[in-house]
Amino acid sequence: MKRTFKIFASLLALLAIPALAGLGIMALWNGIVTTICDFSAITFFQSVGLFLLGQLLSCGFIIPLFFGFGSLHALRHNHGDWHDHWHKMSDEERREFIQRRREMFGFRNRPGNGEDASKE
């Protein structure tokens, strides 16, 4: 039952977000761009298309929240496994973890990482 509700809520949000964004885009476009630039007015479906095109071209920032993280509720209320894992680490394990991440992302030669700034 809980899983069915979660799927239903995700699908509803997946449809509601583009619909609401489409209404906003349509209102702004028809209210501002048609007046200033003398472009033609757009329809609701064209505005939803513009929203989805923008999501695709910018790698999206709203829709992946529902697919990548499960739900917005989980983001706010569930710390996940990393929270417990981090707090169970010793200080030495945390330092090693941070050092591995710095090396992975290329921060190993920057000042403030425990190295002398004159080595650059």
Side-chain angles (χ1 to χ4, degrees):
M1 180 68 182
K2 194 174 191 180
R3 183 181 170 134
T4 305
F5 178 73
K6 185 176 179 180
I7 292 171
F8 177 73
S10 296
L11 288 175
L12 182 66
L14 195 61
L15 294 174
I17 289 173
L20 292 173
L23 288 173
I25 291 169
M26 184 178 68
L28 290 171
W29 182 281
N30 292 339
I32 298 172
V33 177
T34 57
T35 306
I36 295 173
C37 300
D38 201 32
F39 289 155
S40 61
I42 61 173
T43 65
F44 171 74
F45 293 107
Q46 289 172 327
S47 64
V48 171
L50 282 173
F51 172 73
L52 293 175
L53 179 65
Q55 288 288 305
L56 288 172
L57 292 177
S58 67
C59 297
F61 60 92
I62 294 174
I63 295 174
L65 287 176
F66 293 97
F67 291 116
F69 300 116
S71 72
L72 294 175
H73 180 79
L75 280 176
R76 290 187 308 218
H77 298 291
N78 184 11
H79 296 290
D81 295 335
W82 278 104
H83 185 264
D84 294 333
H85 182 69
W86 180 261
H87 286 287
K88 290 179 183 175
M89 283 182 178
S90 67
D91 289 337
E92 182 61 33
E93 290 172 330
R94 288 181 190 163
R95 275 190 231 107
E96 289 175 10
F97 177 82
I98 292 169
Q99 186 61 35
R100 283 195 313 265
R101 291 297 179 248
R102 285 180 177 161
E103 289 173 2
M104 180 186 302
F105 293 110
F107 295 114
R108 60 181 152 237
N109 293 327
R110 295 192 181 174
N113 291 338
E115 297 179 9
D116 189 14
S118 63
K119 291 184 180 179
E120 283 191 1

